[in-house]
Amino acid sequence: MQRKKFSAAAFALALTITVAACGDDDEATDTTAATAATADTAVTATTETADEADTATTEASEEAEEAEPATTAEAEEADTATTAAGEAPMTEAPDLSEAIAACEAEGNKVNLIALPDEWANYKGILAAFGEKYPDIEYPVSSPNASSQEEVDAILTLAGQDDMPDSVDVSPAVGQSMVEQGLFEPYTSVYDAEIPAGLKDPDGHWYAAYYGIMAISTNTTIVDTAPETWADLANPEYAGQVSLNGDPRESGAAFAAVVAASLANGGSADDIMPGIEFFAELQANGNLASADITPATVLSGETPIAIDWSYNVPGLAQQMADQGFEFETHFPADGIYGGYYEQGLVTDSPHQNCSKLWLEHILSDEGALGYLEGGAVPARITSLTERGLVTDDMKVNLPADELLDQVNFLTQEQVAAAKEALAENWGPMVADA
Amino acid sequence: MSLTSATTSAPDASTRRAPKQRRSWAWLGVVPFFAFLVIFLIAPALSVFQKALFDSDGNFGVDALKNAFTGQNRAAFVFSVKLSALSAFVGVVVGGLLAYTASTLRRPRWLRTFISSFSGVAANLGGVPLAFAFLALLGRQGLLTRIINDGLGVDIYRSGFALDSTAGFVFVYSYFNIPLMVLITLPAVDGLKDSWREACANLGGTSWTFWRRVGLPVLTPALLGGFLLLFANSFSAFATAAALTTKSTLVPLRIGFYLGGDFSSTGEQQLGYSLAAWMMIIMVVNMGIYYVLRRRSERWQQ
Amino acid sequence: MSASAAGRRRLSNVIVPIATVLVCAVYFVLPLIAMTRFSFQSIPVINLRWSNLTSRWSFDPVVEPFRDEQLRSAMYLSIKLAVATVFATMALLIPTTVWVNLRLPRMRSIIEFLTVLPYVIPPIALVAGIRVVQPHARWFLNSHYSLVPFYVVLALPFTYRALDAGMRALDLKTLVDASRSLGAGWGTTLRRAIIPNLRTSIVSASFLTATVVLGEYTIASVLLKPTLTQELVVFQQSNGQQGTAMSLLLLVATTLLLGVLTIVTRKRGGASVTPV
């Protein structure tokens, strides 16, 4: 009896200790250990940037003047982040040492959210970030979250250590974020190279990339792929047409509705035809009840996907593994291009690490990463001028004549579209 | 929680002199429990009512409660009630039959133990893994979907089936409703003594007479109680439904929808709380009747 | 009783039950089969043929997820929450049930009624209430362990019944009287006289609590706490096969927990696994 009691007590004690020990791992960011370990690497990082700063003018905006041929190594490998010895250091000239040091003080961690691997090659961009800053952790929570869910995470996790530091949201959601003061204004070192249409005048957000809506079809499941918006209403596609979420919450679905509207007699000011188009699809049973996620695409649940064209290349390999073939068509009757907004979240726990992330996606590595994924980076002009963009890089990009047709919605048009969706999508489509 | 009360447990003449003091000491013992429930259960529940009845400016109004029955929310209520009633009915019938089986089949001898153990387990399964299992079985790319398509030539989805339709939900919810019904009903069915059956037969009655005059009346409280419990279970199920569909066509899903969105501009947040308030009201009535019925059915289980 | 009537009765007595059992057996097993096939065979249903039915099976989908950091820490968190909830439940309920059985027998029906309340206030309504209070209680709700008291509440119907049933089987009065008359204080009485006799009930309640906590999704998903089920849903959206395999694992684990529990309590004729 005594022995039993003793072992029970010992067991309880061990359990408590384990629980307490494990608890520390999760919650507390072990800043002291991190700072001790990274002290050396931080020094080397700063010396590296110092070297780069020496060989080039400090302001990155001046790099346009140095039209030196970039290292071919850098051009081909979008995910090698470190500069080759001495060659084309101007592309990494920006001095972020202050932010790097401050980031370390914050805990060397940047909480990211809603960045799926296959979305415009975020897998490559994240890997490049990891190589550029080996000591910074960059956990990505909820990869398939919609833009609205990102805001919800900000509000729900406010004050916690896992609150998102940086977001990537649709213009519709970005608008309400600005209204609620959730974006922290910040001017990037690349600010001058980003066109006015792809950034917020008050520095709340930048649009690091944009793309075009496409219809991607799994041709193993579907015999003839739909090529235009009108095709989608064909009864043979019953239950197969799918969106990437709810347009009231997700940017990709929002864009799909606007695009459908352009194809059906609407305009950037009036998206009701688009809502009506999808109401019709819902009524005749063509609209799938599942949202597009990597899992549903790979299982074949969403064979006809209306999504950004840059979401397709990332899944190509896995689709082939499954034995699926697919085709992507840009519907000629309605071309719509849209961007996403990235920025720092107000009062997030790691403001400076967040700055490093933002600078990274706007940098050359980031831009080339987006390019590889099939999205157009914001600084494409600057990169092209410096000869960093080769033709084989643009293989995933939509054709130039399609890109020329792209007109972004203005903020007023976005607001009007939001309202139309809020009032009509529910009754007409979602819960019909 | 160690109490240093000086009162002894054996009542004696001396305590009769100060019964009040003894009683007040005893109450203290359950205060922590009550306090815990108040803080972590009652208070949130009351907050929901507070939010449903008082708008953002602090004015009292039942408008939100009334608006909960308009538009899509009304459709959600209708769907939820219809679905819960149907899946409760299926659960009662099949679960009742299964309980009857477990109770009456003498051979194989392990069957009863197996059924009751299995029910004990399956009644508590559910939620996310269950939804994934049914998606793998009957989703658009489900195994059974394909088998039926190839074998019978019937594309169930083209025929109008969907996992998030009434039929689909009933099919999925039965997975935990049937075992729950078995657990609830088994004691009651056990209470149907064989001697009653024989007596009925001796008096010239058939099997049907037995059920009509003796069996079902005795079982009715248990069956009705089971129905109510299953109804409550199905009505408030959130996890399974959320994993099965992205639409918000059921009341719990709509509550989740309102909770997860940013409705500060349209004031629809209050609708979510009023939906939750109505849900609780329905549950109170439901479980209240259930409680009474259970008391009555326990009479037969001596 | 005529022979044919008896024969008829025997037949209907046998056919209906057997048919029921068979249909139910098929119904309960099929989804698991489909889930297993989807998890472990890397062939989409549409590409399945008789010829490749046995190809491309592997255990990878259930091994790979363990390498995912976020999923692993979600697993640890859920396990820790389960353990904490068990301890909290015992700390709250054992003294309460002892007290009620000993001193306040009339309170028993009130308390039993209270333990049904979590059924009246379903998790989705409960979490709506938590949301209302959240802006004022961030200091508490920010910690992941703030889920514990709510989990105690959710498990209450099960745990209270288990403990109370065990308690009623004891002759509590005599036990406590004997212990106290031998000079033991309340703490010692609890520890050495009562709890050891409640082992079955405590194990039963603990396993039930663990099942509830491991499977809980509603509260965690609204509050965005990274528990196992919450992370599993997120994980499954990007990795269909692996996510489903992990869910299957969770299902198996829960079944084992409850199965062991049912077998153990069966011997002692103890606690039930029904919530009401």
Side-chain angles (χ1 to χ4, degrees):
Chain A
M1 181 63 178
Q2 290 289 33
R3 217 179 301 153
K4 261 197 205 170
K5 238 190 52 170
F6 177 79
S7 49
F11 172 75
L13 191 61
L15 199 61
T16 336
I17 292 178
T18 330
V19 168
C22 291
D24 288 336
D25 288 346
D26 282 353
E27 264 119 277
T29 39
D30 214 345
T31 37
T32 41
T35 35
T38 55
D40 297 338
T41 37
V43 169
T44 36
T46 36
T47 25
E48 266 183 44
T49 42
D51 285 341
E52 297 155 9
D54 287 343
T55 43
T57 49
T58 43
E59 281 314 299
S61 47
E62 315 305 303
E63 7 173 290
E65 295 170 12
E66 340 263 347
E68 281 192 24
T71 52
T72 38
E74 197 171 352
E76 275 163 17
E77 307 251 39
D79 46 9
T80 38
T82 49
T83 57
E87 284 190 273
M90 340 346 171
T91 55
E92 266 319 290
D95 179 15
L96 296 167
S97 48
E98 213 181 278
I100 296 177
C103 169
E104 202 180 298
E106 284 169 352
N108 261 349
K109 187 168 144 182
V110 55
N111 295 324
L112 301 172
I113 184 172
L115 302 177
D117 274 346
E118 78 291 344
W119 182 286
N121 189 26
Y122 261 121
K123 184 170 177 181
I125 298 173
L126 286 165
F129 183 76
E131 282 184 38
K132 201 189 260 186
Y133 306 106
D135 301 308
I136 302 183
E137 291 173 36
Y138 50 97
V140 178
S141 65
S142 308
N144 289 290
S146 66
S147 299
Q148 182 59 51
E149 284 168 345
E150 295 184 54
V151 174
D152 185 43
I154 294 176
L155 296 172
T156 306
L157 300 174
Q160 289 180 208
D161 195 54
D162 46 0
M163 178 183 176
D165 290 308
S166 175
V167 291
D168 185 1
V169 292
S170 68
V173 172
Q175 217 175 57
S176 35
M177 276 184 74
V178 173
E179 282 164 18
Q180 294 180 61
L182 293 175
F183 271 130
E184 182 74 33
Y186 171 72
T187 311
S188 159
V189 296
Y190 301 101
D191 188 74
E193 289 187 356
I194 298 176
L198 288 174
K199 63 186 176 192
D200 180 66
D202 301 315
H204 285 115
W205 50 263
Y206 288 94
Y209 64 97
Y210 65 91
I212 300 186
M213 271 279 136
I215 303 177
S216 308
T217 312
N218 181 327
T219 45
T220 312
I221 297 179
V222 179
D223 293 323
T224 40
E227 294 180 22
T228 64
W229 289 102
D231 281 347
L232 289 173
N234 194 324
E236 78 179 88
Y237 302 130
Q240 294 179 331
V241 181
S242 44
L243 291 172
N244 195 331
D246 183 318
R248 296 170 289 185
E249 298 180 1
S250 142
F254 177 92
V257 175
V258 179
S261 159
L262 293 175
N264 283 289
S267 69
D269 295 303
D270 172 30
I271 64 157
M272 273 311 288
I275 301 180
E276 284 158 7
F277 175 77
F278 281 105
E280 197 192 303
L281 283 188
Q282 173 79 307
N284 65 15
N286 274 21
L287 206 57
S289 51
D291 285 340
I292 299 172
T293 63
T296 59
V297 171
L298 290 172
S299 72
E301 256 178 272
T302 51
I304 302 178
I306 308 177
D307 203 355
W308 300 109
S309 66
Y310 50 67
N311 279 343
V312 173
L315 283 179
Q317 182 57 47
Q318 293 177 61
M319 290 282 268
D321 284 343
Q322 296 280 84
F324 284 143
E325 296 187 358
F326 65 97
E327 279 174 32
T328 308
H329 291 274
F330 293 96
D333 46 350
I335 289 286
Y336 175 73
Y339 56 79
Y340 275 78
E341 303 174 0
Q342 299 84 34
L344 309 178
V345 175
T346 312
D347 291 336
S348 80
H350 314 101
Q351 287 283 308
N352 289 287
C353 304
S354 184
K355 287 180 195 164
L356 293 176
W357 168 253
L358 192 59
E359 297 293 359
H360 171 71
I361 59 176
L362 293 170
S363 74
D364 289 349
E365 291 82 27
L368 291 171
Y370 284 123
L371 202 58
E372 196 179 310
V376 183
R379 290 171 58 228
I380 181 93
T381 327
S382 157
L383 263 72
T384 321
E385 277 172 12
R386 279 176 289 136
L388 289 172
V389 178
T390 61
D391 273 341
D392 53 295
M393 270 185 209
K394 296 167 78 171
V395 68
N396 288 323
L397 220 52
D400 282 335
E401 56 267 17
L402 291 168
L403 288 173
D404 288 337
Q405 297 179 42
V406 166
N407 271 314
F408 299 136
L409 296 183
T410 64
Q411 291 294 327
E412 295 79 39
Q413 289 167 333
V414 168
K418 258 169 73 174
E419 210 179 295
L421 280 169
E423 274 180 37
N424 297 297
W425 185 262
M428 286 176 74
V429 187
D431 309 312
Chain B
M1 190 184 106
S2 67
L3 297 142
T4 50
S5 166
T7 55
T8 61
S9 43
D12 52 38
S14 60
T15 59
R16 263 186 243 130
R17 265 181 263 138
K20 271 198 197 143
Q21 190 185 25
R22 198 172 143 230
R23 232 174 297 171
S24 62
W25 271 118
W27 273 94
L28 259 176
V30 286
V31 160
F33 181 70
F34 275 106
F36 182 83
L37 279 186
V38 165
I39 298 176
F40 293 108
L41 182 62
I42 317 264
L46 289 179
S47 312
V48 170
F49 276 99
Q50 187 247 343
K51 262 292 186 275
L53 290 171
F54 294 88
D55 66 17
S56 42
D57 300 320
N59 307 318
F60 179 84
V62 287
D63 282 341
L65 286 183
K66 278 194 265 183
N67 284 341
F69 286 108
T70 58
Q72 303 151 267
N73 293 325
R74 181 187 152 84
F77 265 109
V78 168
F79 190 27
S80 269
V81 169
K82 193 172 68 151
L83 165 68
S84 308
L86 210 54
S87 54
F89 182 73
V90 168
V92 164
V93 167
V94 181
L97 278 176
L98 205 55
Y100 175 67
T101 306
S103 180
T104 52
L105 268 192
R106 302 271 172 251
R107 272 173 293 241
R109 245 173 287 221
W110 47 265
L111 191 64
R112 187 213 157 91
T113 322
F114 180 74
I115 290 183
S116 91
S117 310
F118 170 77
S119 299
V121 171
N124 295 302
L125 295 180
V128 171
L130 187 67
F132 289 164
F134 271 96
L135 278 172
L137 182 71
L138 279 176
R140 262 183 207 281
Q141 295 293 323
L143 192 60
L144 194 57
T145 315
R146 170 90 197 276
I147 291 177
I148 295 180
N149 200 355
D150 285 359
L152 299 174
V154 175
D155 183 341
I156 55 178
Y157 276 84
R158 259 175 224 276
S159 315
F161 177 79
L163 266 183
D164 51 8
S165 66
T166 317
F169 272 123
V170 169
F171 204 69
V172 177
Y173 281 11
S174 299
Y175 205 88
F176 49 79
N177 276 339
I178 293 176
L180 191 57
M181 184 64 186
V182 171
L183 284 180
I184 302 292
T185 320
L186 207 49
V189 177
D190 280 344
L192 282 181
K193 302 190 186 11
D194 275 344
S195 51
W196 300 351
R197 266 217 139 170
E198 285 171 18
C200 174
N202 279 340
L203 289 169
T206 61
S207 190
W208 169 238
T209 322
F210 168 72
W211 280 113
R212 195 164 64 89
R213 296 285 198 85
V214 183
L216 284 178
V218 166
L219 283 183
T220 300
L223 290 178
L224 225 50
F227 179 85
L228 288 169
L229 184 64
L230 261 43
F231 183 91
N233 207 14
S234 310
F235 194 87
S236 48
F238 175 81
T240 320
L244 272 180
T245 178
T246 51
K247 298 199 279 194
S248 312
T249 43
L250 290 172
V251 173
L253 293 177
R254 289 209 70 76
I255 300 177
F257 173 70
Y258 285 116
L259 283 180
D262 176 25
F263 298 98
S264 40
S265 47
T266 52
E268 280 187 338
Q269 199 98 43
Q270 208 189 9
L271 265 184
Y273 293 115
S274 70
L275 279 175
W278 274 116
M279 182 188 240
M280 284 193 272
I281 295 174
I282 294 177
M283 288 291 119
V284 164
V285 170
N286 189 313
M287 295 312 284
I289 306 179
Y290 171 82
Y291 203 65
V292 167
L293 277 174
R294 202 184 67 155
R295 281 296 166 86
R296 276 188 51 185
S297 81
E298 273 171 0
R299 245 194 282 156
W300 296 109
Q301 289 165 30
Q302 297 329 325
Chain C
M1 187 157 63
S2 68
S4 59
R8 264 205 313 275
R9 209 190 86 189
R10 263 202 302 274
L11 208 58
S12 74
N13 254 11
V14 165
I15 286 193
V16 166
I18 291 199
T20 314
V21 171
L22 283 179
V23 167
C24 285
V26 167
Y27 170 74
F28 281 107
V29 163
L30 269 188
L32 300 174
I33 296 181
M35 198 178 192
T36 314
R37 192 226 67 92
F38 178 79
S39 304
F40 295 113
Q41 188 181 23
S42 304
I43 300 184
V45 166
I46 194 122
N47 288 342
L48 266 185
R49 311 261 172 276
W50 287 111
S51 52
N52 59 15
L53 209 56
T54 49
S55 49
R56 303 190 70 170
W57 287 82
S58 94
F59 275 116
D60 273 350
V62 85
V63 169
E64 280 298 309
F66 284 98
R67 301 223 189 115
D68 184 281
E69 256 190 64
Q70 287 184 329
L71 206 56
R72 260 212 320 267
S73 51
M75 262 188 265
Y76 291 148
L77 180 63
S78 280
I79 293 177
K80 281 185 272 182
L81 284 175
V83 171
T85 310
V86 166
F87 275 106
T89 308
M90 296 307 153
L92 181 72
L93 280 188
I94 293 184
T96 308
T97 37
V98 167
W99 199 243
V100 166
N101 273 300
L102 217 48
R103 292 295 171 82
L104 302 165
R106 286 180 307 166
M107 285 238 65
R108 173 180 287 133
S109 50
I110 298 182
I111 301 229
E112 259 188 37
F113 170 73
L114 283 178
T115 57
V116 176
L117 267 187
Y119 247 76
V120 171
I121 304 173
I124 185 70
L126 182 61
V127 78
I130 300 176
R131 273 289 223 170
V132 175
V133 187
Q134 196 175 24
H136 313 296
R138 281 201 193 273
W139 56 269
F140 173 66
L141 289 171
N142 274 359
S143 156
H144 294 327
Y145 285 95
S146 64
L147 284 175
V148 170
F150 299 109
Y151 284 174
V152 171
V153 166
L154 283 185
L156 208 55
F158 301 88
T159 47
Y160 181 79
R161 264 172 73 98
L163 284 176
D164 191 55
M167 201 82 62
R168 274 195 264 189
L170 294 180
D171 188 357
L172 201 59
K173 224 167 177 340
T174 318
L175 207 57
V176 170
D177 278 349
S179 165
R180 303 261 297 153
S181 63
L182 285 172
W186 277 106
T188 321
T189 310
L190 265 177
R191 246 183 335 114
R192 295 179 64 174
I194 300 180
I195 290 183
N197 279 305
L198 285 178
R199 247 187 309 234
T200 317
S201 301
I202 291 181
V203 166
S204 164
S206 307
F207 277 23
L208 285 168
T209 309
T211 311
V212 168
V213 173
L214 287 177
E216 202 286 321
Y217 174 71
T218 313
I219 299 184
S221 84
V222 173
L223 292 180
L224 291 179
K225 298 290 182 191
T227 59
L228 181 57
T229 34
Q230 160 72 353
E231 286 298 309
L232 207 50
V233 169
V234 168
F235 185 75
Q236 200 266 354
Q237 289 173 334
S238 303
N239 306 283
Q241 265 194 299
Q242 295 179 11
T244 311
M246 282 305 289
S247 303
L248 187 58
L249 195 62
L250 183 60
L251 215 55
V252 168
T254 316
T255 308
L256 280 178
L257 269 180
L258 291 169
V260 166
L261 165 63
T262 320
I263 294 176
V264 163
T265 56
R266 188 154 303 283
K267 286 191 203 145
R268 303 292 193 100
S272 69
V273 287
T274 51
V276 267

